[in-house]
Amino acid sequence: MTYPIGYLYPNEFAEPLVWLPVLFSYSLLISGADLLLLAFIAYLFNKFKRTVPVLLVVGLAFYTVVLLGPLADLRNPDRDPLLFSHAQVIPTEAHPGVSLIALQGAVMWPLGFILAALFTLLYFAPANYQRYLATRNPLRKVLSIGIKQHSLALKAFLKILAVVALVPMAFWAIYPASLFATQTSLFIWLNWHTLVPMYFADTFVVATAVAILAIWLYGVKKSQNELSSLLYIHGVAALSVIALLLLQMAIWNTSYGGSPFMSAASHIMEWFVPVIALYAITFGLSLAASRFLPLSLVVPFTGLVAAIVNKWNVIVRAQYALRSGLAFLEPGEEVLVHEVPIMASIVAAGIFLAIILSILFPLERGHD
């Protein structure tokens, strides 16, 4: 269809958003995979000993809720179970190729969930047994599954579980970005060359921010060494996002500078400036907090705000660029207003589940 601004695809008139903004909230909960990833790596290398319990509980809570992400990709909720019963993970003559949503939702998520849940149960089992001896609460005895201490055999098995679980967690950490990058009909995602590494670093900022907040809730004086390490990781992740955004800006200016395609790209790049500024503040505060501990309480909030603004730009605003890449449709407020309560409820579900898990598993005695 020819139009004054160029060629337009028919569905650009009817549906500017391919995926509803609700997926934005799922993208925040994807940080649960990074938290679990960090917990498994920490356990394998005997680091963050006091913070591993917090990383496991919050990570498992967020990761449990995040399954709703691929289910939400299916436009018919009543057909959601088909993701498991008819997952297209093996190419056939009738259906060539592999569904990324099916691979992640029907294979990687169940595998990751089982491994993470089993690891968490076994990791906290001795602590729950000690709680049972102190309180005689039968629930504690059930959760201890008869394990009284962190024996050499248990530690060896946990290390095996951690190594195996790294695979699905790594897949999930970049799932949204890989999903977006495969949408060849959307100009911005198709041409966002740094999308996958930028998204991974962005999500890692969210994960470490949540971990730092959790340490403050748990008791910052008990975990100062772990907090310093997390601040360093958080700062490096923030700096990585800055570098990747600057690189993407340079790529777009080089490729489309002076062409009609810059009309869409420039609307996305205009949000790069506040995001880069927020991440620069986060990086600076991360360095300063290593010397002045109270500043570490501010770091997660600046990091979260930066990640939220960046994710909104990547996930929601990017969908308003026409498939032709020749124009940008301003977001309609009437669409977003209806989505905000749903987005908030999804994040609240992850937080609520984290609270429940923190009651079931004694964080203060989780480490061996």
Side-chain angles (χ1 to χ4, degrees):
M1 178 181 296
T2 302
Y3 217 61
I5 59 173
Y7 181 82
L8 291 179
Y9 292 88
N11 61 346
E12 290 183 328
F13 291 98
E15 190 180 28
L17 282 174
V18 175
W19 281 308
L20 296 177
V22 71
L23 287 183
F24 163 76
S25 55
Y26 291 122
S27 73
L28 293 176
L29 296 183
I30 292 285
S31 61
D34 282 351
L35 285 166
L36 290 170
L37 196 69
L38 189 59
F40 295 145
I41 293 174
Y43 186 82
L44 288 171
F45 291 94
N46 198 28
K47 301 292 184 182
F48 303 142
K49 204 169 184 179
R50 287 187 176 275
T51 55
V52 166
V54 177
L55 296 175
L56 284 174
V57 165
V58 180
L60 183 61
F62 286 5
Y63 186 71
T64 301
V65 176
V66 88
L67 175 63
L68 297 176
L71 292 183
D73 290 345
L74 306 175
R75 290 307 180 88
N76 301 305
D78 58 306
R79 294 172 60 85
D80 287 352
L82 294 177
L83 178 66
F84 301 100
S85 60
H86 293 77
Q88 185 187 335
V89 293
I90 299 176
T92 63
E93 185 176 346
H95 302 284
V98 177
S99 168
L100 182 60
I101 294 174
L103 177 64
Q104 292 282 54
V107 179
M108 288 299 175
W109 185 88
L111 175 63
F113 175 79
I114 291 171
L115 293 173
L118 181 58
F119 183 96
T120 304
L121 181 64
L122 293 175
Y123 180 86
F124 284 103
N128 266 317
Y129 186 78
Q130 295 301 317
R131 278 286 184 88
Y132 165 69
L133 294 179
T135 64
R136 294 298 170 179
N137 186 334
L139 176 60
R140 295 295 175 185
K141 186 175 183 180
V142 172
L143 290 173
S144 73
I145 55 177
I147 299 176
K148 301 179 181 180
Q149 61 182 352
H150 280 276
S151 63
L152 291 177
L154 176 61
K155 291 179 180 179
F157 186 66
L158 285 175
K159 286 187 176 181
I160 294 173
L161 276 180
V163 170
V164 177
L166 288 176
V167 176
M169 293 307 145
F171 269 92
W172 266 97
I174 61 171
Y175 167 58
S178 58
L179 192 65
F180 300 152
T182 59
Q183 301 307 306
T184 55
S185 64
L186 294 176
F187 178 81
I188 293 296
W189 288 341
L190 176 63
N191 293 281
W192 197 312
H193 302 86
T194 65
L195 183 61
V196 174
M198 185 276 298
Y199 191 94
F200 178 75
D202 201 46
T203 305
F204 219 85
V205 167
V206 176
T208 50
V210 171
I212 292 169
L213 283 175
I215 287 176
W216 271 90
L217 292 174
Y218 167 60
V220 67
K221 291 184 179 180
K222 302 176 183 178
S223 310
Q224 290 190 27
N225 292 334
E226 289 86 348
L227 179 59
S228 296
S229 298
L230 280 174
L231 284 169
Y232 173 76
I233 297 172
H234 184 82
V236 170
L239 194 61
S240 300
V241 177
I242 292 174
L244 291 166
L245 287 175
L246 289 174
L247 176 60
Q248 186 59 52
M249 189 180 297
I251 291 173
W252 277 340
N253 280 319
T254 301
S255 302
Y256 306 117
S259 74
F261 295 107
M262 281 300 292
S263 174
S266 60
H267 281 80
I268 301 301
M269 286 194 295
E270 68 185 13
W271 278 43
F272 283 12
V273 176
V275 169
I276 289 173
L278 285 168
Y279 271 128
I281 293 172
T282 298
F283 175 70
L285 288 175
S286 297
L287 294 180
S290 61
R291 294 181 176 273
F292 186 60
L293 192 62
L295 274 179
S296 62
L297 184 57
V298 182
V299 172
F301 294 101
T302 56
L304 285 172
V305 171
I308 287 172
V309 175
N310 195 34
K311 286 180 181 296
W312 189 267
N313 193 34
V314 173
I315 297 171
V316 178
R317 295 185 79 252
Q319 295 182 60
Y320 283 96
L322 299 190
R323 280 94 173 135
S324 58
L326 295 174
F328 183 85
L329 303 176
E330 290 297 335
E333 294 183 3
E334 69 282 355
V335 176
L336 304 181
V337 167
H338 298 295
E339 297 293 329
V340 170
I342 301 175
M343 289 189 288
S345 66
I346 292 169
V347 175
I351 296 173
F352 174 75
L353 187 54
I355 295 173
I356 297 298
L357 290 178
S358 67
I359 295 173
L360 295 177
F361 300 116
L363 302 184
E364 74 282 1
R365 301 181 64 178
H367 56 86
D368 55 351

